[in-house]
Amino acid sequence: MVKESFTLRGVEFKNRVLVASGTFGYGNEVKELVDVNLLGGICTKSLSWKPRDGNPPRRIVETPSGMLNSIGLANVGVEYFIREKLPYLRTVETVIIANIAASSLQEYGDVLSLLEKQEGIDGYEINVSCPNVKEGGLSFGTDCAKTKEITASLRRRTEKPLIIKLTPNVTHISEFARAVQEAGADAISVINTVVGMAVDIHKKKPKLSTVTGGLSGPAIKPIALAKVYEAAQVVSIPIIGIGGIMTAEDALEFLLVGATAVQVGTANFIDPSTGVKVAEGMRSYAERYGVSDLGQLVGAMESNKEFSVLQSWL
Amino acid sequence: MPLQQVAPVLSNIQIAEGIFLLTLESKEIAQLARPGQFVNIRSTDGSLPFLRRPFSISHVHEDSIDLMFNIVGQGTRMMASRRVGDTLDVLGPLGKPFGYEAHFETAILVGGGLGVAPFPLLTRYLKKHSKKITTFLGARTSRHIVSTNLENIQIATDDGSSGFHGTVVSSLESYWGSHALPGPKIFGCGPTPMLRALSETAQKLHIACELSLEGDMACGVGLCQGCPVETTKGERKYALVCIEGPTFNCNDIILR
């Protein structure tokens, strides 16, 4: 029997595979296709105070081994979520993490405080890293002081797990990881999408309506691994690895470089049961190698730090 | 309720210039499918191409479904190369069916190019509900026309090689002026510019009109939010083609 669970600020996750915000709706969309109770956790679509229409089409573009998106945080708004979506999520036997996106410090606080009053939310993931909105998003996530301020402010409002989702679109993600740890975050999610673009050469126009978008999928896995590894060198809080995970092998790479858990994102668009399959595969790996607790794999990669170029900037 | 299945290829043949008819074995999807619905297909196990591709369910048999496609890129090229006995990962049936049961007498089916795809199954259901049917098909040339399992066909070609010389929408307008189509309702499918023209014609002639849209979609089940269409209904600016469509009343959407 392999121990798969882990705990974050007193909340137990049954396994180390969550589904990423924005890739699994509010859970009920695919309940007929996958047993969501077998997931370690569900991160909801980003919630803002008011409903958001999102960006005009075109919002998605397929790219080699990945996709660009510019959804623009389209969501039902926190009140509708509480009324219409949360009742279903309360019936699901897994950890529910409300992902919050906002365009001001005030809005982050208001959304979180309203959710604090509800039953059924186990923790929060704060999106300071959406590349597809003009206000909030990356303007917060690429500003270390602002990211720290948001973290500290939300920390004062909740005793539940507080996870900050970081962007890779900065010079040194380790600085941001350190800052949010100091501000009281319980964990960091690494990484959100990578800013990218694609061009229609026939129309001589960008393919996405917003010109640039966020790249996700296997194309960004090597970037994500390097960012998790970098962050793991400087923080002691758990890291949730995200970026192009399609298989258990991918997830195990993230654990080995220092992630405590992972989130499956874009893969859900191709197969909504990917998360469940990844969790199964990790269990088989542990059995095969005689690992009694998946936690033993976290940061267990053997590497010669002497040769690590990364060390020079940490 | 959609299913995800690995479906064997029963046949894969070219039926017109550049157009293929793929038959996949799936008793379950065949039984659940209604006209206007689609399946989302993974053309490879790898990550090139990365996403699924949506296809209208063209027709169903007792234990199989027909899909019509043309080669537009890597995914459809791979699909065209699939042989009998190969398999494809299929998710479906997805989306909202055409309103084939509504109160109307004559169904006017208008298909541009591959927009003919959902019409064979739609025709079966319309006949089952004792509706009269007239079908308008538009294609580039006579070699690009697919007209099997359809009723009362009026053809239009861009080059005049068959039927009306011009667009399918102008052929409908010209026909409308000289024929009686009592209690009509239009069902349209095709490229967006054609649907826009059809929608204008339907509004001008005061005919009820339902359109089947394409969207750049990843998941097909409402997760990715990638396929918005502007809506005139309610407080929301956008509806999702995958779960609120692909069929829409033409008055409820704005095609750009």
Side-chain angles (χ1 to χ4, degrees):
Chain A
M1 190 72 180
V2 178
K3 180 173 185 279
E4 297 172 79
S5 62
F6 72 102
T7 305
L8 198 60
R9 205 181 178 94
V11 173
E12 184 171 309
F13 295 69
K14 68 175 77 168
N15 64 52
R16 291 169 189 264
V17 185
L18 290 75
V19 284
S21 177
T23 69
F24 215 72
Y26 303 100
N28 60 334
E29 290 86 346
V30 286
K31 61 186 177 200
E32 291 138 355
L33 291 168
V34 52
D35 184 354
V36 294
N37 300 305
L38 301 176
L39 293 166
I42 296 174
C43 300
T44 68
K45 175 80 187 150
S46 284
L47 296 164
S48 49
W49 184 251
K50 287 190 173 156
R52 291 183 70 124
D53 293 322
N55 292 331
R58 186 176 178 185
R59 289 183 179 177
I60 58 171
V61 175
E62 186 176 46
T63 62
S65 297
M67 64 180 274
L68 286 163
N69 87 76
S70 180
I71 307 303
L73 301 176
N75 82 93
V76 296
V78 68
E79 284 180 13
Y80 185 92
F81 167 79
I82 290 167
R83 205 169 59 238
E84 303 292 333
K85 303 290 185 182
L86 190 53
Y88 166 72
L89 288 172
R90 284 195 197 105
T91 69
V92 174
E93 288 170 24
T94 188
V95 172
I96 304 299
I97 303 290
N99 182 293
I100 304 174
S103 49
S104 67
L105 184 60
Q106 173 81 34
E107 188 187 353
Y108 277 112
D110 290 347
V111 175
L112 188 139
S113 294
L114 186 57
L115 290 169
E116 274 289 276
K117 295 178 194 143
Q118 317 303 321
E119 288 281 315
I121 303 287
D122 299 303
Y124 304 98
E125 181 180 60
I126 307 307
N127 182 356
V128 286
S129 42
C130 175
N132 301 325
V133 291
K134 282 183 180 160
E135 290 181 354
L138 273 194
S139 62
F140 290 155
T142 55
D143 180 335
C144 199
K146 193 83 192 168
T147 302
K148 193 172 181 179
E149 185 191 353
I150 292 167
T151 307
S153 161
L154 296 177
R155 175 75 289 163
R156 287 192 291 273
R157 291 172 184 256
T158 183
E159 283 304 315
K160 289 179 184 169
L162 181 65
I163 306 162
I164 310 297
K165 188 167 183 178
L166 300 179
T167 175
N169 302 298
V170 294
T171 308
H172 298 311
I173 203 168
S174 44
E175 290 172 11
F176 290 75
R178 204 183 267 132
V180 301
Q181 175 175 272
E182 281 171 14
D186 298 304
I188 49 175
S189 293
V190 177
I191 56 179
N192 205 324
T193 56
V194 181
V195 172
M197 69 185 289
V199 180
D200 183 328
I201 58 164
H202 305 290
K203 294 180 182 159
K204 297 195 179 75
K205 283 180 178 171
K207 286 187 177 174
L208 289 171
S209 66
T210 51
V211 183
T212 55
L215 182 64
S216 65
I220 69 163
K221 193 185 79 172
I223 298 172
L225 284 168
K227 298 296 176 188
V228 170
Y229 180 75
E230 181 188 332
Q233 306 309 304
V234 301
V235 295
S236 56
I237 54 174
I239 299 169
I240 302 171
I242 320 171
I245 296 172
M246 303 290 287
T247 63
E249 288 79 1
D250 297 332
L252 287 159
E253 284 190 73
F254 277 90
L255 259 60
L256 290 168
V257 300
T260 292
V262 296
Q263 289 178 17
V264 169
T266 305
N268 291 315
F269 299 155
I270 296 156
D271 180 356
S273 62
T274 304
V276 172
K277 290 172 184 165
V278 168
E280 276 169 19
M282 289 169 81
R283 201 154 51 231
S284 310
Y285 174 91
E287 281 160 5
R288 177 177 163 197
Y289 287 98
V291 177
S292 58
D293 178 350
L294 283 174
Q296 292 161 9
L297 297 173
V298 176
M301 181 180 73
E302 295 168 26
S303 66
N304 191 338
K305 292 204 171 149
E306 230 176 281
F307 293 119
S308 167
V309 173
L310 182 81
Q311 300 299 325
S312 63
W313 74 53
L314 291 176
Chain B
M1 182 178 124
L3 304 163
Q4 190 181 339
Q5 291 190 328
V6 176
V9 174
L10 295 181
S11 85
N12 194 5
I13 50 167
Q14 192 165 347
I15 50 171
E17 189 155 312
I19 301 177
F20 292 79
L21 186 74
L22 173 70
T23 304
L24 294 172
E25 184 178 342
S26 173
K27 191 172 190 167
E28 296 78 8
I29 296 176
Q31 284 173 354
L32 292 168
R34 293 295 175 270
Q37 288 191 299
F38 66 100
V39 289
N40 213 2
I41 290 202
R42 204 175 170 189
S43 50
T44 168
D45 296 333
S47 58
L48 282 172
F50 184 57
L51 299 173
R52 289 176 183 270
R53 302 278 186 274
F55 297 93
S56 275
I57 297 168
S58 189
H59 211 2
V60 307
H61 313 283
E62 200 184 331
D63 52 7
S64 65
I65 58 172
D66 286 349
L67 310 175
M68 229 178 257
F69 66 96
N70 56 2
I71 298 179
V72 290
Q74 196 178 12
T76 40
R77 200 175 310 121
M78 292 176 84
M79 278 179 52
S81 71
R82 292 293 167 128
R83 296 287 162 257
V84 176
D86 291 348
T87 56
L88 284 165
D89 181 336
V90 186
L91 181 64
L94 303 170
K96 184 167 75 66
F98 277 121
Y100 52 85
E101 288 173 297
H103 293 291
F104 62 93
E105 239 179 284
T106 308
I108 304 172
L109 276 49
V110 187
L114 257 191
V116 63
F119 291 167
L121 184 60
L122 178 59
T123 298
R124 176 189 288 176
Y125 273 78
L126 290 167
K127 284 164 77 176
K128 209 188 279 179
H129 287 83
S130 310
K131 308 287 188 187
K132 297 190 190 91
I133 304 168
T134 303
T135 306
F136 293 84
L137 299 181
R140 274 191 285 161
T141 75
S142 58
R143 297 189 309 281
H144 294 85
I145 295 163
V146 181
S147 57
T148 42
N149 298 309
L150 302 174
E151 302 270 306
N152 295 329
I153 302 163
Q154 300 294 320
I155 284 169
T157 50
D158 293 345
D159 68 348
S161 54
S162 180
F164 183 88
H165 188 174
T167 70
V168 68
V169 177
S170 17
S171 97
L172 164 66
E173 286 202 13
S174 136
Y175 187 94
W176 179 261
S178 53
H179 296 76
L181 295 167
K185 177 176 176 180
I186 293 173
F187 296 85
C189 185
T192 304
M194 174 221 136
L195 295 183
R196 208 183 299 128
L198 181 61
S199 181
E200 282 163 17
T201 297
Q203 280 160 348
K204 189 173 72 188
L205 303 176
H206 304 290
I207 311 174
C209 172
E210 224 178 291
L211 303 174
S212 174
L213 307 190
E214 283 191 316
D216 293 300
M217 61 180 74
C219 67
V221 293
L223 295 177
C224 74
Q225 305 275 318
C227 56
V229 59
E230 261 182 79
T231 172
T232 57
K233 264 179 88 178
E235 292 167 5
R236 296 154 63 233
K237 185 167 184 195
Y238 298 110
L240 293 180
V241 172
C242 68
I243 49 176
E244 294 168 81
T247 61
F248 291 93
N249 182 322
C250 77
N251 298 318
D252 295 343
I253 51 167
I254 303 165
L255 294 170
R256 297 207 189 266

